[in-house]
Amino acid sequence: HAKQQGKAQYAIFKPIMHTQALERLEVESSLRKALEKQEFYLYYQPIISFKTSQLIGFEALLRWHHPTQGWISPATFIPIAEETGLIVSLGQWVLQEACHQISIWQSHFPFSEPLKVSVNISSFQLNQMDFVEQVKKVLEESKIKASQLNLEITETVIMNNIESTSFKLQCLQKLGVKISIDDFGTGYSSLNYLQQLPIDILKIDRSFVRRLESNPSEFQIIEAIIKLGNILGMETLAEGIETSEQYNLIQSLGVDYAQGFIFSKPLNKSLVEQTLYSLFQSSSLTWNFNDYVN
Ligand code: C2E
Ligand code: MG
Ligand code: MG
Ligand code: MG
């Protein structure tokens, strides 16, 4: 109790801005060391095909295990990594690690349909002059097929830098790498540009799916996004499916892929391996979610 009071007083006497600045400095300096100290981990969230109910691959999601503060969400540290420029080396590590891992899994579990991995790319990475070269190098080193790699980029990032981004995306497409627009519907996209860009998948933001049950007009919005995707020749993916109601509604709309807690939360390496092992034993990538969906 005394400790709590102490904290409260501390909060009163310390100007809030100052406290936040100190905390930030603290995070910043530990973030700098975290890569060397190998405190970062990738988690992998399954992506499932609606049509075949099969596992397609995973989205790699970054986690930071801080020595004293425990697990820190990417929502907290990615913005700081971006402001400090650390995101470039961190993002490079993510790309290498994800490709390396999928290559190992592919050789341990040689499914006839190669597993894919999606990697989130920050604007700061994409803006690197040699970004395409970096991707090429990682593909060569990991020996995965370019088509196994999917890069997730938010629409705002693409639209903010349309000239240079569209050139880079075209180069990546020539390599065979797939591109997704992440969190689609939350930023702003020029339909004019969308049509010209080599985008393979529209990832419909979780917020649309979340509002689906409470607000029926959301259904029509998602329907419109899917139609838009179809017209533009893109596949669609719905993020954040948690309930069987959401699952059924989304499925009825003809979305191609799904991702969400109803199938699986992001898994650590060893849980992915257990999952792949049991799928491989049954010689099928069919995702067993009958347990969840009724
Ligand atoms: P995102 O790329 O849109 O990733 C999806 C986020 O939604 C993940 O959060 C995932 O755990 C969460 N999610 C998936 N299904 C569900 C669901 O059914 N319900 C709920 N409530 N949440 C679900 P996470 O892992 O915390 O990542 C947050 C964001 O951080 C990501 O959003 C992405 O923008 C960013 N991020 C993560 N890893 C990286 C990375 O390696 N590089 C960059 N630049 N950004 C990353
Ligand atoms: Mg993503
Ligand atoms: Mg997303
Ligand atoms: Mg998101």
Side-chain angles (χ1 to χ4, degrees):
H1 188 73
K3 200 178 167 190
Q4 256 179 353
Q5 261 184 356
K7 256 194 187 158
Q9 275 170 9
Y10 178 87
I12 292 163
F13 290 123
K14 268 287 195 264
I16 189 103
M17 288 302 287
H18 189 201
T19 316
Q20 282 175 351
L22 281 179
E23 275 168 15
R24 253 204 61 129
L25 266 178
E26 217 277 309
V27 174
E28 231 180 88
S29 71
S30 47
L31 200 55
R32 276 179 208 285
K33 292 173 215 138
L35 202 54
E36 290 165 41
K37 289 164 74 185
Q38 305 192 322
E39 291 169 6
F40 291 109
Y41 294 83
L42 286 186
Y43 273 53
Y44 299 88
Q45 189 176 33
I47 296 175
I48 313 292
S49 158
F50 260 120
K51 277 172 210 143
T52 66
S53 299
Q54 287 189 338
L55 175 72
I56 298 297
F58 302 93
E59 176 175 4
L61 293 157
L62 190 56
R63 300 285 180 269
W64 179 15
H65 193 259
H66 189 281
T68 57
Q69 294 179 39
W71 292 101
I72 303 182
S73 150
T76 309
F77 68 82
I78 297 260
I80 300 171
E82 288 183 329
E83 285 169 48
T84 55
L86 283 170
I87 192 68
V88 174
S89 44
L90 184 55
Q92 225 168 358
W93 176 82
V94 172
L95 188 62
Q96 283 167 356
E97 179 70 13
C99 291
H100 180 66
Q101 201 50 253
I102 213 73
S103 165
I104 292 174
W105 289 335
Q106 191 60 47
S107 67
H108 288 179
F109 308 105
F111 293 104
S112 56
E113 200 57 41
L115 294 166
K116 295 179 181 175
V117 70
S118 288
V119 175
N120 292 284
I121 301 296
S122 154
S123 61
F124 295 83
Q125 287 173 272
L126 196 61
N127 289 344
Q128 299 273 294
M129 289 259 286
D130 64 344
F131 180 70
V132 176
E133 284 305 310
Q134 287 175 28
V135 172
K136 216 169 152 181
K137 197 164 154 245
V138 171
L139 287 173
E140 282 162 12
E141 282 167 1
S142 65
K143 301 187 179 69
I144 64 168
K145 291 189 195 127
S147 58
Q148 285 176 274
L149 177 63
N150 191 307
L151 302 180
E152 298 194 4
I153 305 166
T154 63
E155 52 186 327
T156 310
V157 167
I158 295 177
M159 296 302 154
N160 273 347
N161 235 315
I162 192 74
E163 299 288 314
S164 77
T165 306
S166 94
F167 179 71
K168 282 175 190 161
L169 296 188
Q170 280 162 27
C171 294
L172 290 165
Q173 188 189 45
K174 276 197 197 121
L175 287 180
V177 173
K178 304 289 176 207
I179 309 289
S180 296
I181 286 210
D182 205 356
D183 306 338
F184 188 77
T186 61
Y188 59 92
S189 279
S190 150
L191 295 184
N192 204 11
Y193 282 127
L194 261 191
Q195 194 176 18
Q196 294 167 34
L197 291 168
I199 290 157
D200 302 284
I201 299 175
L202 279 191
K203 292 191 81 170
I204 303 162
D205 192 67
R206 182 154 59 86
S207 56
F208 296 101
V209 177
R210 199 193 314 123
R211 289 190 294 260
L212 203 50
E213 283 152 80
S214 59
N215 184 358
S217 74
E218 213 66 32
F219 186 80
Q220 280 154 331
I221 293 177
I222 298 184
E223 197 173 24
I225 296 177
I226 293 156
K227 273 193 191 137
L228 176 66
N230 292 341
I231 292 166
L232 296 172
M234 299 168 189
E235 293 188 296
T236 50
L237 181 152
E239 299 187 306
I241 303 177
E242 293 182 355
T243 68
S244 51
E245 285 78 12
Q246 291 168 344
Y247 173 88
N248 290 328
L249 285 170
I250 299 275
Q251 190 182 35
S252 73
L253 286 172
V255 175
D256 297 295
Y257 306 109
Q259 200 181 332
F261 293 172
I262 193 170
F263 306 100
S264 168
K265 293 197 168 176
L267 305 170
N268 66 25
K269 223 158 88 172
S270 101
L271 282 173
V272 172
E273 277 155 14
Q274 283 177 39
T275 306
L276 290 176
Y277 180 80
S278 69
L279 288 171
F280 199 72
Q281 290 301 100
S282 64
S283 33
S284 150
L285 280 166
T286 303
W287 194 259
N288 187 14
F289 53 93
N290 293 323
D291 308 347
Y292 311 99
V293 183
N294 301 299

